[in-house]
Every structure is written in structure tokens, then in C-alpha cells.
Amino acid sequence: MNVPTWLWFATIGGLLAIIIADLFLVDHKPHTVTIREATRWVLFYVALAVVFGVGIWFFAGGGYAGEFFAGYITEYSLSVDNLFVFVVIMAAFSVPSEHQHRVLLVGIVIALVMRGIFIAIGAAAIAAFSWVFYLFAVILVVTAVNLARQGTEHEGGEPAPVRLLRKYLPVSDDFHGTKLFTRINGKRLVTPMLMVMLAIGFTDLLFALDSIPAIFGLTQEPYLVFTANAFALMGLRQLFFLLGGLLSRLVYLSYGLSVILAFIGVKLVLEALHENNLPFINGGEPVPVPTVGIELSLSVIIGVLVITTIASLIKARRDPSVIHAPGAPATDSPDQPVPDAKEQAAELDRNNAGN
């Protein structure tokens, strides 16, 4: 796929314009995001990704469009698992509900920049070393096993870089609106707002260690890898508010994601063997093994997600005691504010106590 430099700049510029517009429209007046508002934004970002994918199909062909959609759906589904940890982080920092959108937006922008660096390194490594596919496959399979063992447990906390910063930066006890820095008794302090933004950004970077290899297993085009990640991340923060308590009901999500990662890991191994040039494998000659097409990949990813979601909701309805991941039932009123993370955790504890 030949992507001219001007298209890269135009794409990045367009994404920045959307982020700035989002920041102005939603955050110029801090407020608690309602379900109706979150729904509109989620539909907007999904529609934006669909239009972008159709554009790729029109200008570059259906093959590349299929790779983009497969990558986008995979990244979006893997990002849903991030939301569990985001809820824990929000509760740990006691982030006011009216500031949660800004925290997620800035944190995700930080994550997108760092993912861009990861993608550039990954693309360069793949171009230079064919054995990188085997390394990516190992990462995915190991992550798949860990997710399966994790089950419905989702632990979170401050990433190591944030804990390190706490040792050297004075942090105020309370939030001061949306300020990142404040001055108390003549002393300049960092506010919890900055710390939670960094926590969100660094946490997502840890998730990128498995999501980046996963999407490279679906497409080796850096442009498609970057844009699929960008659209998935941009729609992630609105999904945080929309899903609300539904997160706690996706009890089999980790199992579904583990199946997807394992499938892509096997796909990577088959492709690496098919194009093998390592001298200690088949004398450096390609191994005649079948490969997995993008159509099958897309079908497996969507199928696993659908089955996982349906099975999770059925299980949660029949056995409410399994609902113990961070989150709380979303409000039935579309205009009612979504409960903040601290309220969600308290509500969840009450539900568990009742069960």
C-alpha cells in the first residue's frame, strides 16, 4: 500500500482537528456526561471509522479495507478490556464525574502518541527482521493464556512511572478544577488531575504491548495499523460512559479476547512459516503451510465477540453473583448523568453484599 507523505500529514491533521473539536464542544463547559450524549459520540466515532474504511476500499481496494476493519474491530474490542482498569483508576483518584471526560481525552492522546512510536518501531522491526513475527506470536499466545487465567478479575492501579513521579513531585490532596498545577501557601504543586491523566496514558501503553502485535498479525501496513488504533482510541472514552455497568456483565470478555489473541498468534506463525527465511527452519526455505485470509480473520473476530457478549449477558442474568468486576448498572434514563467511578464501585459493593 503506497501512502504518500502528504496523506500521512493530512490524516494526522484531521485526527488532531477532531480531537480539538471534541475538547472544545464537550469540555469547554465541564459537566457529567449523560448516556444520551455518550451514545451520540460513540455512534459518531464508529460512523467516522466506517466512512474511513469505505474510503480505503474505494481508493485502495477491498483487501486493505478488510484489513483496516479487522484491525479496528480487534483494537476496539481489546480496548474494552482497558475500561475495567480505567474504572479502577478513576475510583482510586476519586475523579469528579464532570472532569472524567477530560481525563480520558488527554490520557488517550498521550497513549496515541506513544502507540505511534510503538507502531513505527514495530514496522521497522518487521521490515528488517522476519523473526519478529515469531516474537509477536509468542507475545500474543502468552497474553491469551494470561487473559484466560485472569477470567473475570480486572486489577488496576498506578503504573510504575506514575508511582516514581510521586516520589519526586509534590502532589496536592484535592482537585483544583481542571488545573494540572496549583499553588498552595506559595508552594507549586502538581494536582491529581495530571497524575490520573498520566496513569491512564501509561496504563494504555501497557495494553499496547499485546494490541500492537495483534493488529500487525492482521495487516503489516503501518498506515492501517496507526489509523485503526487512532479510531479505536478516539471512541474509547465515550464507550467508557456509555457502557457503564454493562462492563460488569461482560463476564466472559477476557476469555473471548484470549481466543482472538491466540487465533491471531497462530495466524502470525503460519504466515511467518509461509514466508520463512530463517536458516534453522526448513533450511531457510518457505514452509508449505496454509495461511489465514483476512475474510476468515474478520469472521472469527466478530463471531467470537458476538458469542462472548451473548454468553456473558445470559450468565450475568442467571447468576448475578458473577458480576464483580468494576462497574455498575447504567441508568435507565438517557439524560441522567452516568455515575462516576467512585459511585459505581460503591454500588457494586452493595450489589455484591446483597447477593
Side-chain angles (χ1 to χ4, degrees), residues 4 8 67-68 137 321 325:
W8 272 101
E67 292 179 7
F68 169 79
S321 65

Side-chain angles (χ1 to χ4, degrees), residues 127-182:
F129 310 105
S130 60
W131 52 263
V132 170
F133 279 120
Y134 294 104
L135 176 61
F136 281 0
V138 171
I139 292 174
L140 293 181
V141 173
V142 170
T143 304
V145 172
N146 290 336
L147 277 175
R149 289 177 175 176
Q150 169 185 300
T152 59
E153 299 293 334
H154 297 269
E155 298 180 357
E158 290 188 1
V162 177
R163 293 197 299 270
L164 181 63
L165 286 175
R166 277 192 181 275
K167 294 182 179 180
Y168 300 99
L169 294 177
V171 182
S172 65
D173 295 328
D174 302 316
F175 285 82
H176 294 264
T178 59
K179 292 181 179 179
L180 304 182
F181 301 92
T182 188

Side-chain angles (χ1 to χ4, degrees), residues 181-335:
F181 301 92
T182 188
R183 190 175 295 276
I184 300 177
N185 297 328
K187 185 178 181 180
R188 189 172 179 81
L189 303 175
V190 173
T191 69
M193 177 67 74
L194 177 60
M195 302 303 290
V196 70
M197 287 177 177
L198 293 176
I200 294 292
F202 282 117
T203 298
D204 185 84
L205 183 62
L206 296 177
F207 282 100
L209 294 178
D210 56 65
S211 66
I212 297 300
I215 193 171
F216 269 116
L218 299 169
T219 177
Q220 284 79 61
E221 296 294 335
Y223 182 75
L224 299 181
V225 173
F226 175 76
T227 51
N229 269 272
F231 281 110
L233 285 177
M234 288 169 64
L236 177 61
R237 66 192 182 283
Q238 302 298 344
L239 201 62
F240 173 87
F241 297 103
L242 178 61
L243 290 183
L246 180 61
L247 284 176
S248 63
R249 288 165 169 75
L250 298 179
V251 294
Y252 294 138
L253 177 64
S254 292
Y255 297 116
L257 294 179
S258 68
V259 171
I260 291 174
L261 291 179
F263 168 77
I264 297 176
V266 173
K267 179 178 184 294
L268 273 175
V269 171
L270 292 176
E271 291 184 356
L273 290 173
H274 187 73
E275 301 177 3
N276 175 67
N277 56 17
L278 296 180
F280 54 85
I281 297 179
N282 198 35
E285 296 296 324
V287 180
V289 294
T291 57
V292 181
I294 195 62
E295 295 83 3
L296 178 58
S297 299
L298 192 55
S299 300
V300 169
I301 293 169
I302 294 176
V304 170
L305 290 176
V306 170
I307 293 173
T308 299
T309 301
I310 294 174
S312 295
L313 296 178
I314 293 175
K315 177 65 174 179
R317 176 181 289 272
R318 293 180 176 178
D319 183 11
S321 65
V322 301
I323 307 175
H324 55 79
T331 175
D332 292 330
S333 174
D335 292 315

